[in-house]
Amino acid sequence: MKKFFQEFKEFAMKGNVLDMAVGVVVGGAFKEIVTALVNNIINPLIGAMTGQGNLSDLKYVISKAVVENGVEIVPENAVTYGVFLQSIIDFLIIAFSIFVALKVMMNAEKKLQDLLHKKKEEEEKAEESAAPVEDEISVLKEIRDMLKEDKKAE
């Protein structure tokens, strides 16, 4: 059991898990923003176009409510497809936003990779061009040393 908890601790402390947790929290907050947009802006506009008060009010009544003496005895039975449409709109906005965010991040990562690759190529070219100079210097040093030895020998 102790090994199980140790493995769980290692898993929970990995960077990816913490990043995922932050993503879930931010995603939940983003969902609230999208829901507010749909409920307070998009729904009333669609409701005005359809003649209903609000998109979430759209429904197909299967059986009407039974009311006796002002008291509802049997509630209305209806398919509230407006709420379903509202959920679809929420999903589409969130999915589109995630798509755009991922596309931007992937493009930025690709540009960074290209930049790093280009820098690495430049460094390799610089090393290649610097290597012959070092060889020439070592050859010149050898010639100098040989000339010194010749002068000493004379």
Side-chain angles (χ1 to χ4, degrees):
M1 193 64 148
K2 187 175 182 179
K3 184 179 178 184
F4 175 79
F5 286 114
Q6 179 64 28
E7 289 176 4
F8 176 74
K9 180 181 175 185
E10 290 172 10
F11 169 77
M13 293 302 158
K14 286 184 180 176
N16 293 342
V17 174
L18 296 175
D19 292 342
M20 185 176 65
V22 169
V24 168
V25 171
V26 171
F30 183 70
K31 183 190 179 307
E32 294 297 321
I33 293 170
V34 171
T35 301
L37 170 73
V38 172
N39 288 344
N40 299 317
I41 297 174
I42 295 174
N43 281 352
L45 293 174
I46 293 175
M49 288 188 284
T50 60
Q52 297 286 330
N54 202 340
L55 178 65
S56 60
D57 295 338
L58 296 175
K59 61 185 174 182
Y60 174 75
V61 178
I62 297 171
S63 61
K64 294 185 178 185
V66 176
V67 179
E68 288 183 12
N69 298 327
V71 178
E72 184 179 67
I73 300 201
V74 178
E76 175 183 75
N77 187 12
V79 175
T80 55
Y81 64 91
V83 174
F84 179 69
L85 292 174
Q86 179 179 340
S87 296
I88 290 173
I89 293 170
D90 280 356
F91 170 77
L92 291 174
I93 291 172
I94 291 171
F96 180 74
S97 300
I98 291 171
F99 170 77
V100 170
L102 287 175
K103 188 153 181 75
V104 167
M105 288 173 47
M106 290 173 74
N107 285 341
E109 183 178 2
K110 184 179 183 296
K111 287 181 182 180
L112 179 62
Q113 291 297 328
D114 290 345
L115 183 65
L116 291 174
H117 183 70
K118 185 177 178 181
K119 184 176 180 180
K120 184 177 179 182
E121 286 178 349
E122 289 174 357
E123 288 175 356
E124 288 174 357
K125 286 180 183 178
E127 287 176 8
E128 288 173 6
S129 63
V133 172
E134 291 176 10
D135 289 341
E136 290 174 8
I137 291 174
S138 63
V139 170
L140 289 173
K141 285 181 180 179
E142 288 177 22
I143 293 171
R144 179 196 68 200
D145 293 342
M146 290 169 51
L147 289 173
K148 282 183 183 179
E149 287 178 17
D150 284 346
K151 281 187 179 181
K152 286 181 185 178
E154 291 178 357

